[in-house]
């Protein structure tokens, strides 16, 4: 795997409206440094116990994105440095992020994870739950979090039409919320959809952040 070439090929095909989160989970710090040396600064991890030592070992101008399921009791380990948490899948978790943000004297950027896959999934809000939560001003008392948008994962399938349907459903929800009168604590700016296997479809459907691992660093 040539990390440099993979990264530069991906970047060349991205419009400035879409950010690339390089997903470095399971990969050693040396591999992350190869991407860093190409000027890359946005990295994503899915486990707190892996993210913290990488944060400690690597340059401090890296922006770390938490993309995996996050347990409430682990938020305290990342609250002081995390740039964005994509995988907020419950109100309870958002409340804990707020509490830890307050302790670190920070406002933590969060995306609400929406369950879009037609297959069963354990994590994420339904579209209706998101609408209800936002329209009832649920995030407003949480001064140390900023809801910046939505995140979703399509079904793991070869069926491109299904993936497109799932992404476009999320984009519709995103646009609907965006055009509604949003409370001040919410901004619909980022739509985090697309991984190595489906980022091209995600970009066509309006992604502003793709999360790509194996297409940069190789298989896991
Ligand atoms: C692992 C992971 C990715 C990246 O997956 P690839 O298929 O390697 O690009 C993206 N998003 C989440 C939530 C992940 O856990």
């Amino acid at each position: 795997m040539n990390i440099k070439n993979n990264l530069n090929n991906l970047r060349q095909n991205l419009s400035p409206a879409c950010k690339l989160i390089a997903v470095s989970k399971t990969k050693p710090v040396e591999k992350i440094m190869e991407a860093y040396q190409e000027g890359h600064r946005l990295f994503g991890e899915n486990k707190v116990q892996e993210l913290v030592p990488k944060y400690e070992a690597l340059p401090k101008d890296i922006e770390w994105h938490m993309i995996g399921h996050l347990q409430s009791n682990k938020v305290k380990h990342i609250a002081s440095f995390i740039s964005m948490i994509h995988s907020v899948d419950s109100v309870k978790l958002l409340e804990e992020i707020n509490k830890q943000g307050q302790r670190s004297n920070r406002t933590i950027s969060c995306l609400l994870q929406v369950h879009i896959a037609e297959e069963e999934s354990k994590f994420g809000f339904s579209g209706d739950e998101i609408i209800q939560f936002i329209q009832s001003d649920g995030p407003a008392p949480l001064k140390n979090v900023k809801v910046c948008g939505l995140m979703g994962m399509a079904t793991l399938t070869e069926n491109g039409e299904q993936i497109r349907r799932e992404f476009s459903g999320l984009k519709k929800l995103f646009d609907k919320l965006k055009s509604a009168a949003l409370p001040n604590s919410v901004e619909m700016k980022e739509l985090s959809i697309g991984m190595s296997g489906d980022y091209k479809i995600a970009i066509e459907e309006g992604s502003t952040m793709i999360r790509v691992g194996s297409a940069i660093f190789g298989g896991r």
Side-chain angles (χ1 to χ4, degrees), residues 14 17-21 42 63 65 83-84 86 111 148 150-152 189-195 199 202-203 206-212:
L14 271 188
C18 187
K19 291 186 266 296
L20 171 63
I21 313 298
L42 312 184
E63 280 186 30
H65 290 244
S83 282
M84 184 176 276
H86 292 227
L111 305 180
C148 304
L150 305 178
M151 180 269 221
K189 198 171 136 224
E190 306 293 356
L191 182 61
S192 171
I193 51 174
M195 313 183 5
Y199 70 86
I203 291 169
S207 178
T208 69
M209 286 183 155
I210 55 172
R211 312 176 308 270
V212 177

PDB file of all heavy atoms in Angstrom, residues 14 17-21 42 63 65 83-84 86 111 148 150-152 189-195 199 202-203 206-212:
ATOM      1  N   LEU A  14     -11.501  15.170  -4.727  1.00  0.00           N
ATOM      2  CA  LEU A  14     -12.443  15.748  -3.762  1.00  0.00           C
ATOM      3  C   LEU A  14     -12.632  17.233  -4.032  1.00  0.00           C
ATOM      4  O   LEU A  14     -11.672  17.947  -4.265  1.00  0.00           O
ATOM      5  CB  LEU A  14     -11.883  15.607  -2.347  1.00  0.00           C
ATOM      6  CG  LEU A  14     -12.189  14.355  -1.563  1.00  0.00           C
ATOM      7  CD1 LEU A  14     -11.705  14.515  -0.134  1.00  0.00           C
ATOM      8  CD2 LEU A  14     -13.661  14.032  -1.584  1.00  0.00           C
ATOM      9  N   ALA A  17     -15.568  21.310  -0.905  1.00  0.00           N
ATOM     10  CA  ALA A  17     -16.738  21.233  -0.026  1.00  0.00           C
ATOM     11  C   ALA A  17     -16.773  19.933   0.776  1.00  0.00           C
ATOM     12  O   ALA A  17     -17.601  19.778   1.674  1.00  0.00           O
ATOM     13  CB  ALA A  17     -18.014  21.350  -0.849  1.00  0.00           C
ATOM     14  N   CYS A  18     -15.883  19.004   0.458  1.00  0.00           N
ATOM     15  CA  CYS A  18     -15.907  17.713   1.151  1.00  0.00           C
ATOM     16  C   CYS A  18     -14.557  17.423   1.795  1.00  0.00           C
ATOM     17  O   CYS A  18     -13.523  17.412   1.130  1.00  0.00           O
ATOM     18  CB  CYS A  18     -16.290  16.608   0.165  1.00  0.00           C
ATOM     19  SG  CYS A  18     -16.547  15.015   0.968  1.00  0.00           S
ATOM     20  N   LYS A  19     -14.582  17.202   3.104  1.00  0.00           N
ATOM     21  CA  LYS A  19     -13.341  16.918   3.835  1.00  0.00           C
ATOM     22  C   LYS A  19     -13.085  15.408   3.900  1.00  0.00           C
ATOM     23  O   LYS A  19     -14.017  14.623   3.945  1.00  0.00           O
ATOM     24  CB  LYS A  19     -13.440  17.485   5.253  1.00  0.00           C
ATOM     25  CG  LYS A  19     -13.432  19.008   5.279  1.00  0.00           C
ATOM     26  CD  LYS A  19     -13.375  19.547   6.692  1.00  0.00           C
ATOM     27  CE  LYS A  19     -14.723  19.853   7.280  1.00  0.00           C
ATOM     28  NZ  LYS A  19     -15.510  20.892   6.645  1.00  0.00           N
ATOM     29  N   LEU A  20     -11.807  15.079   3.926  1.00  0.00           N
ATOM     30  CA  LEU A  20     -11.407  13.674   4.006  1.00  0.00           C
ATOM     31  C   LEU A  20     -10.908  13.361   5.415  1.00  0.00           C
ATOM     32  O   LEU A  20      -9.908  13.925   5.860  1.00  0.00           O
ATOM     33  CB  LEU A  20     -10.299  13.407   2.979  1.00  0.00           C
ATOM     34  CG  LEU A  20      -9.596  12.051   3.059  1.00  0.00           C
ATOM     35  CD1 LEU A  20     -10.570  10.903   2.800  1.00  0.00           C
ATOM     36  CD2 LEU A  20      -8.428  11.997   2.061  1.00  0.00           C
ATOM     37  N   ILE A  21     -11.608  12.472   6.110  1.00  0.00           N
ATOM     38  CA  ILE A  21     -11.134  11.985   7.401  1.00  0.00           C
ATOM     39  C   ILE A  21     -10.412  10.665   7.130  1.00  0.00           C
ATOM     40  O   ILE A  21     -11.024   9.697   6.681  1.00  0.00           O
ATOM     41  CB  ILE A  21     -12.309  11.716   8.380  1.00  0.00           C
ATOM     42  CG1 ILE A  21     -13.315  12.875   8.416  1.00  0.00           C
ATOM     43  CG2 ILE A  21     -11.774  11.387   9.780  1.00  0.00           C
ATOM     44  CD1 ILE A  21     -12.796  14.187   8.888  1.00  0.00           C
ATOM     45  N   LEU A  42      -6.420  15.486   9.305  1.00  0.00           N
ATOM     46  CA  LEU A  42      -7.688  14.996   9.869  1.00  0.00           C
ATOM     47  C   LEU A  42      -7.672  13.472   9.932  1.00  0.00           C
ATOM     48  O   LEU A  42      -7.607  12.809   8.889  1.00  0.00           O
ATOM     49  CB  LEU A  42      -8.886  15.432   9.021  1.00  0.00           C
ATOM     50  CG  LEU A  42      -8.991  16.897   8.600  1.00  0.00           C
ATOM     51  CD1 LEU A  42     -10.305  17.143   7.852  1.00  0.00           C
ATOM     52  CD2 LEU A  42      -8.906  17.807   9.807  1.00  0.00           C
ATOM     53  N   GLU A  63      -6.079  16.940  13.900  1.00  0.00           N
ATOM     54  CA  GLU A  63      -7.467  17.013  14.380  1.00  0.00           C
ATOM     55  C   GLU A  63      -8.013  15.601  14.452  1.00  0.00           C
ATOM     56  O   GLU A  63      -8.154  14.931  13.425  1.00  0.00           O
ATOM     57  CB  GLU A  63      -8.338  17.786  13.385  1.00  0.00           C
ATOM     58  CG  GLU A  63      -8.224  19.277  13.494  1.00  0.00           C
ATOM     59  CD  GLU A  63      -9.239  19.961  12.575  1.00  0.00           C
ATOM     60  OE1 GLU A  63     -10.329  19.396  12.314  1.00  0.00           O
ATOM     61  OE2 GLU A  63      -8.917  21.051  12.111  1.00  0.00           O
ATOM     62  N   HIS A  65     -10.899  12.800  15.039  1.00  0.00           N
ATOM     63  CA  HIS A  65     -12.345  12.611  14.938  1.00  0.00           C
ATOM     64  C   HIS A  65     -12.708  11.244  15.505  1.00  0.00           C
ATOM     65  O   HIS A  65     -12.145  10.233  15.086  1.00  0.00           O
ATOM     66  CB  HIS A  65     -12.794  12.703  13.466  1.00  0.00           C
ATOM     67  CG  HIS A  65     -12.685  14.088  12.911  1.00  0.00           C
ATOM     68  ND1 HIS A  65     -13.770  14.811  12.490  1.00  0.00           N
ATOM     69  CD2 HIS A  65     -11.605  14.898  12.742  1.00  0.00           C
ATOM     70  CE1 HIS A  65     -13.363  16.002  12.075  1.00  0.00           C
ATOM     71  NE2 HIS A  65     -12.056  16.074  12.210  1.00  0.00           N
ATOM     72  N   SER A  83     -11.619  16.720  18.270  1.00  0.00           N
ATOM     73  CA  SER A  83     -12.113  17.799  17.403  1.00  0.00           C
ATOM     74  C   SER A  83     -13.592  17.647  17.100  1.00  0.00           C
ATOM     75  O   SER A  83     -14.320  18.623  17.016  1.00  0.00           O
ATOM     76  CB  SER A  83     -11.365  17.803  16.071  1.00  0.00           C
ATOM     77  OG  SER A  83     -10.119  18.378  16.239  1.00  0.00           O
ATOM     78  N   MET A  84     -13.996  16.401  16.876  1.00  0.00           N
ATOM     79  CA  MET A  84     -15.407  16.169  16.575  1.00  0.00           C
ATOM     80  C   MET A  84     -15.769  14.733  16.926  1.00  0.00           C
ATOM     81  O   MET A  84     -14.964  13.824  16.699  1.00  0.00           O
ATOM     82  CB  MET A  84     -15.681  16.440  15.088  1.00  0.00           C
ATOM     83  CG  MET A  84     -17.145  16.320  14.700  1.00  0.00           C
ATOM     84  SD  MET A  84     -17.454  16.763  12.978  1.00  0.00           S
ATOM     85  CE  MET A  84     -17.599  18.541  13.107  1.00  0.00           C
ATOM     86  N   HIS A  86     -18.393  12.021  15.790  1.00  0.00           N
ATOM     87  CA  HIS A  86     -19.373  11.764  14.722  1.00  0.00           C
ATOM     88  C   HIS A  86     -20.485  10.823  15.164  1.00  0.00           C
ATOM     89  O   HIS A  86     -21.489  10.714  14.485  1.00  0.00           O
ATOM     90  CB  HIS A  86     -18.693  11.083  13.521  1.00  0.00           C
ATOM     91  CG  HIS A  86     -17.726  11.929  12.776  1.00  0.00           C
ATOM     92  ND1 HIS A  86     -17.715  12.024  11.401  1.00  0.00           N
ATOM     93  CD2 HIS A  86     -16.725  12.736  13.191  1.00  0.00           C
ATOM     94  CE1 HIS A  86     -16.752  12.831  11.012  1.00  0.00           C
ATOM     95  NE2 HIS A  86     -16.124  13.268  12.073  1.00  0.00           N
ATOM     96  N   LEU A 111     -21.739  15.234  15.853  1.00  0.00           N
ATOM     97  CA  LEU A 111     -22.723  14.887  14.830  1.00  0.00           C
ATOM     98  C   LEU A 111     -23.670  13.860  15.437  1.00  0.00           C
ATOM     99  O   LEU A 111     -23.242  13.013  16.228  1.00  0.00           O
ATOM    100  CB  LEU A 111     -22.037  14.286  13.583  1.00  0.00           C
ATOM    101  CG  LEU A 111     -20.946  15.133  12.932  1.00  0.00           C
ATOM    102  CD1 LEU A 111     -20.368  14.408  11.716  1.00  0.00           C
ATOM    103  CD2 LEU A 111     -21.458  16.511  12.542  1.00  0.00           C
ATOM    104  N   CYS A 148     -23.345  19.847  14.952  1.00  0.00           N
ATOM    105  CA  CYS A 148     -22.920  20.428  13.663  1.00  0.00           C
ATOM    106  C   CYS A 148     -23.488  19.699  12.462  1.00  0.00           C
ATOM    107  O   CYS A 148     -23.172  20.062  11.326  1.00  0.00           O
ATOM    108  CB  CYS A 148     -21.408  20.382  13.523  1.00  0.00           C
ATOM    109  SG  CYS A 148     -20.540  21.170  14.852  1.00  0.00           S
ATOM    110  N   LEU A 150     -25.084  15.641  10.785  1.00  0.00           N
ATOM    111  CA  LEU A 150     -25.516  14.245  10.905  1.00  0.00           C
ATOM    112  C   LEU A 150     -24.467  13.290  10.343  1.00  0.00           C
ATOM    113  O   LEU A 150     -23.695  13.645   9.456  1.00  0.00           O
ATOM    114  CB  LEU A 150     -26.824  14.031  10.131  1.00  0.00           C
ATOM    115  CG  LEU A 150     -28.007  14.946  10.468  1.00  0.00           C
ATOM    116  CD1 LEU A 150     -29.198  14.623   9.559  1.00  0.00           C
ATOM    117  CD2 LEU A 150     -28.419  14.808  11.935  1.00  0.00           C
ATOM    118  N   MET A 151     -24.471  12.076  10.867  1.00  0.00           N
ATOM    119  CA  MET A 151     -23.581  11.021  10.373  1.00  0.00           C
ATOM    120  C   MET A 151     -24.409   9.765  10.112  1.00  0.00           C
ATOM    121  O   MET A 151     -25.392   9.510  10.817  1.00  0.00           O
ATOM    122  CB  MET A 151     -22.517  10.724  11.436  1.00  0.00           C
ATOM    123  CG  MET A 151     -21.520   9.655  11.064  1.00  0.00           C
ATOM    124  SD  MET A 151     -21.991   7.993  11.575  1.00  0.00           S
ATOM    125  CE  MET A 151     -20.423   7.367  12.142  1.00  0.00           C
ATOM    126  N   GLY A 152     -24.024   9.009   9.090  1.00  0.00           N
ATOM    127  CA  GLY A 152     -24.713   7.753   8.828  1.00  0.00           C
ATOM    128  C   GLY A 152     -23.803   6.737   8.173  1.00  0.00           C
ATOM    129  O   GLY A 152     -22.781   7.079   7.573  1.00  0.00           O
ATOM    130  N   LYS A 189     -24.411  21.670   9.194  1.00  0.00           N
ATOM    131  CA  LYS A 189     -23.328  22.042   8.312  1.00  0.00           C
ATOM    132  C   LYS A 189     -22.653  20.807   7.722  1.00  0.00           C
ATOM    133  O   LYS A 189     -22.289  20.793   6.560  1.00  0.00           O
ATOM    134  CB  LYS A 189     -22.316  22.835   9.149  1.00  0.00           C
ATOM    135  CG  LYS A 189     -21.356  23.646   8.340  1.00  0.00           C
ATOM    136  CD  LYS A 189     -20.547  24.577   9.261  1.00  0.00           C
ATOM    137  CE  LYS A 189     -19.093  24.546   8.849  1.00  0.00           C
ATOM    138  NZ  LYS A 189     -18.175  24.456   9.973  1.00  0.00           N
ATOM    139  N   GLU A 190     -22.461  19.782   8.537  1.00  0.00           N
ATOM    140  CA  GLU A 190     -21.709  18.614   8.087  1.00  0.00           C
ATOM    141  C   GLU A 190     -22.607  17.395   7.921  1.00  0.00           C
ATOM    142  O   GLU A 190     -23.443  17.100   8.775  1.00  0.00           O
ATOM    143  CB  GLU A 190     -20.603  18.259   9.097  1.00  0.00           C
ATOM    144  CG  GLU A 190     -19.656  19.403   9.443  1.00  0.00           C
ATOM    145  CD  GLU A 190     -18.778  19.857   8.285  1.00  0.00           C
ATOM    146  OE1 GLU A 190     -18.828  19.239   7.193  1.00  0.00           O
ATOM    147  OE2 GLU A 190     -18.037  20.848   8.474  1.00  0.00           O
ATOM    148  N   LEU A 191     -22.384  16.700   6.807  1.00  0.00           N
ATOM    149  CA  LEU A 191     -23.052  15.430   6.561  1.00  0.00           C
ATOM    150  C   LEU A 191     -21.947  14.396   6.366  1.00  0.00           C
ATOM    151  O   LEU A 191     -21.271  14.367   5.335  1.00  0.00           O
ATOM    152  CB  LEU A 191     -23.938  15.532   5.311  1.00  0.00           C
ATOM    153  CG  LEU A 191     -24.739  14.287   4.943  1.00  0.00           C
ATOM    154  CD1 LEU A 191     -25.714  13.902   6.049  1.00  0.00           C
ATOM    155  CD2 LEU A 191     -25.504  14.498   3.636  1.00  0.00           C
ATOM    156  N   SER A 192     -21.723  13.577   7.389  1.00  0.00           N
ATOM    157  CA  SER A 192     -20.622  12.614   7.393  1.00  0.00           C
ATOM    158  C   SER A 192     -21.116  11.269   6.867  1.00  0.00           C
ATOM    159  O   SER A 192     -21.688  10.472   7.604  1.00  0.00           O
ATOM    160  CB  SER A 192     -20.071  12.488   8.826  1.00  0.00           C
ATOM    161  OG  SER A 192     -19.144  11.431   8.932  1.00  0.00           O
ATOM    162  N   ILE A 193     -20.958  11.071   5.551  1.00  0.00           N
ATOM    163  CA  ILE A 193     -21.330   9.792   4.934  1.00  0.00           C
ATOM    164  C   ILE A 193     -20.245   9.396   3.928  1.00  0.00           C
ATOM    165  O   ILE A 193     -19.636  10.250   3.295  1.00  0.00           O
ATOM    166  CB  ILE A 193     -22.715   9.824   4.227  1.00  0.00           C
ATOM    167  CG1 ILE A 193     -22.837  11.021   3.262  1.00  0.00           C
ATOM    168  CG2 ILE A 193     -23.851   9.814   5.232  1.00  0.00           C
ATOM    169  CD1 ILE A 193     -24.126  11.020   2.416  1.00  0.00           C
ATOM    170  N   GLY A 194     -20.033   8.076   3.805  1.00  0.00           N
ATOM    171  CA  GLY A 194     -19.097   7.565   2.812  1.00  0.00           C
ATOM    172  C   GLY A 194     -17.841   6.991   3.431  1.00  0.00           C
ATOM    173  O   GLY A 194     -17.191   7.627   4.249  1.00  0.00           O
ATOM    174  N   MET A 195     -17.539   5.724   3.047  1.00  0.00           N
ATOM    175  CA  MET A 195     -16.344   5.013   3.488  1.00  0.00           C
ATOM    176  C   MET A 195     -15.623   4.516   2.228  1.00  0.00           C
ATOM    177  O   MET A 195     -16.002   4.870   1.112  1.00  0.00           O
ATOM    178  CB  MET A 195     -16.725   3.844   4.408  1.00  0.00           C
ATOM    179  CG  MET A 195     -17.718   4.289   5.469  1.00  0.00           C
ATOM    180  SD  MET A 195     -18.287   3.129   6.734  1.00  0.00           S
ATOM    181  CE  MET A 195     -17.388   1.642   6.544  1.00  0.00           C
ATOM    182  N   TYR A 199     -17.732   5.850  -0.913  1.00  0.00           N
ATOM    183  CA  TYR A 199     -17.587   7.312  -0.802  1.00  0.00           C
ATOM    184  C   TYR A 199     -17.979   8.039  -2.086  1.00  0.00           C
ATOM    185  O   TYR A 199     -18.435   9.180  -2.034  1.00  0.00           O
ATOM    186  CB  TYR A 199     -16.177   7.710  -0.336  1.00  0.00           C
ATOM    187  CG  TYR A 199     -15.080   7.487  -1.340  1.00  0.00           C
ATOM    188  CD1 TYR A 199     -14.791   8.448  -2.301  1.00  0.00           C
ATOM    189  CD2 TYR A 199     -14.317   6.322  -1.329  1.00  0.00           C
ATOM    190  CE1 TYR A 199     -13.778   8.237  -3.221  1.00  0.00           C
ATOM    191  CE2 TYR A 199     -13.317   6.110  -2.239  1.00  0.00           C
ATOM    192  CZ  TYR A 199     -13.047   7.062  -3.189  1.00  0.00           C
ATOM    193  OH  TYR A 199     -12.068   6.847  -4.119  1.00  0.00           O
ATOM    194  N   ALA A 202     -21.545   8.552  -1.891  1.00  0.00           N
ATOM    195  CA  ALA A 202     -21.811   9.522  -0.812  1.00  0.00           C
ATOM    196  C   ALA A 202     -21.556  10.957  -1.288  1.00  0.00           C
ATOM    197  O   ALA A 202     -22.335  11.866  -0.990  1.00  0.00           O
ATOM    198  CB  ALA A 202     -20.951   9.198   0.408  1.00  0.00           C
ATOM    199  N   ILE A 203     -20.481  11.143  -2.037  1.00  0.00           N
ATOM    200  CA  ILE A 203     -20.168  12.497  -2.537  1.00  0.00           C
ATOM    201  C   ILE A 203     -21.266  12.956  -3.493  1.00  0.00           C
ATOM    202  O   ILE A 203     -21.738  14.094  -3.411  1.00  0.00           O
ATOM    203  CB  ILE A 203     -18.778  12.515  -3.207  1.00  0.00           C
ATOM    204  CG1 ILE A 203     -17.699  12.322  -2.137  1.00  0.00           C
ATOM    205  CG2 ILE A 203     -18.554  13.822  -3.960  1.00  0.00           C
ATOM    206  CD1 ILE A 203     -16.307  12.048  -2.679  1.00  0.00           C
ATOM    207  N   GLY A 206     -24.123  14.271  -1.638  1.00  0.00           N
ATOM    208  CA  GLY A 206     -24.004  15.503  -0.842  1.00  0.00           C
ATOM    209  C   GLY A 206     -23.157  15.413   0.417  1.00  0.00           C
ATOM    210  O   GLY A 206     -23.274  16.267   1.301  1.00  0.00           O
ATOM    211  N   SER A 207     -22.281  14.414   0.502  1.00  0.00           N
ATOM    212  CA  SER A 207     -21.413  14.298   1.675  1.00  0.00           C
ATOM    213  C   SER A 207     -20.523  15.531   1.840  1.00  0.00           C
ATOM    214  O   SER A 207     -20.021  16.082   0.856  1.00  0.00           O
ATOM    215  CB  SER A 207     -20.519  13.057   1.526  1.00  0.00           C
ATOM    216  OG  SER A 207     -19.636  12.959   2.626  1.00  0.00           O
ATOM    217  N   THR A 208     -20.303  15.951   3.089  1.00  0.00           N
ATOM    218  CA  THR A 208     -19.305  17.004   3.350  1.00  0.00           C
ATOM    219  C   THR A 208     -18.095  16.443   4.095  1.00  0.00           C
ATOM    220  O   THR A 208     -17.108  17.137   4.294  1.00  0.00           O
ATOM    221  CB  THR A 208     -19.885  18.160   4.189  1.00  0.00           C
ATOM    222  OG1 THR A 208     -20.135  17.696   5.524  1.00  0.00           O
ATOM    223  CG2 THR A 208     -21.172  18.711   3.583  1.00  0.00           C
ATOM    224  N   MET A 209     -18.199  15.179   4.522  1.00  0.00           N
ATOM    225  CA  MET A 209     -17.078  14.519   5.202  1.00  0.00           C
ATOM    226  C   MET A 209     -17.111  13.043   4.860  1.00  0.00           C
ATOM    227  O   MET A 209     -18.087  12.361   5.189  1.00  0.00           O
ATOM    228  CB  MET A 209     -17.220  14.625   6.731  1.00  0.00           C
ATOM    229  CG  MET A 209     -16.929  15.973   7.288  1.00  0.00           C
ATOM    230  SD  MET A 209     -17.048  15.914   9.108  1.00  0.00           S
ATOM    231  CE  MET A 209     -15.986  17.290   9.475  1.00  0.00           C
ATOM    232  N   ILE A 210     -16.062  12.550   4.199  1.00  0.00           N
ATOM    233  CA  ILE A 210     -15.993  11.112   3.997  1.00  0.00           C
ATOM    234  C   ILE A 210     -14.968  10.532   4.974  1.00  0.00           C
ATOM    235  O   ILE A 210     -13.994  11.189   5.322  1.00  0.00           O
ATOM    236  CB  ILE A 210     -15.654  10.733   2.530  1.00  0.00           C
ATOM    237  CG1 ILE A 210     -14.361  11.405   2.056  1.00  0.00           C
ATOM    238  CG2 ILE A 210     -16.812  11.109   1.607  1.00  0.00           C
ATOM    239  CD1 ILE A 210     -13.889  10.911   0.682  1.00  0.00           C
ATOM    240  N   ARG A 211     -15.239   9.323   5.442  1.00  0.00           N
ATOM    241  CA  ARG A 211     -14.374   8.664   6.429  1.00  0.00           C
ATOM    242  C   ARG A 211     -13.750   7.448   5.760  1.00  0.00           C
ATOM    243  O   ARG A 211     -14.382   6.418   5.623  1.00  0.00           O
ATOM    244  CB  ARG A 211     -15.195   8.235   7.652  1.00  0.00           C
ATOM    245  CG  ARG A 211     -16.114   9.327   8.222  1.00  0.00           C
ATOM    246  CD  ARG A 211     -16.958   8.762   9.363  1.00  0.00           C
ATOM    247  NE  ARG A 211     -17.669   7.557   9.001  1.00  0.00           N
ATOM    248  CZ  ARG A 211     -18.899   7.519   8.480  1.00  0.00           C
ATOM    249  NH1 ARG A 211     -19.585   8.626   8.282  1.00  0.00           N
ATOM    250  NH2 ARG A 211     -19.450   6.366   8.143  1.00  0.00           N
ATOM    251  N   VAL A 212     -12.491   7.590   5.316  1.00  0.00           N
ATOM    252  CA  VAL A 212     -11.900   6.545   4.484  1.00  0.00           C
ATOM    253  C   VAL A 212     -10.684   5.926   5.155  1.00  0.00           C
ATOM    254  O   VAL A 212      -9.731   6.632   5.506  1.00  0.00           O
ATOM    255  CB  VAL A 212     -11.511   7.123   3.100  1.00  0.00           C
ATOM    256  CG1 VAL A 212     -10.829   6.068   2.255  1.00  0.00           C
ATOM    257  CG2 VAL A 212     -12.746   7.657   2.388  1.00  0.00           C
TER     258      VAL A 212
END
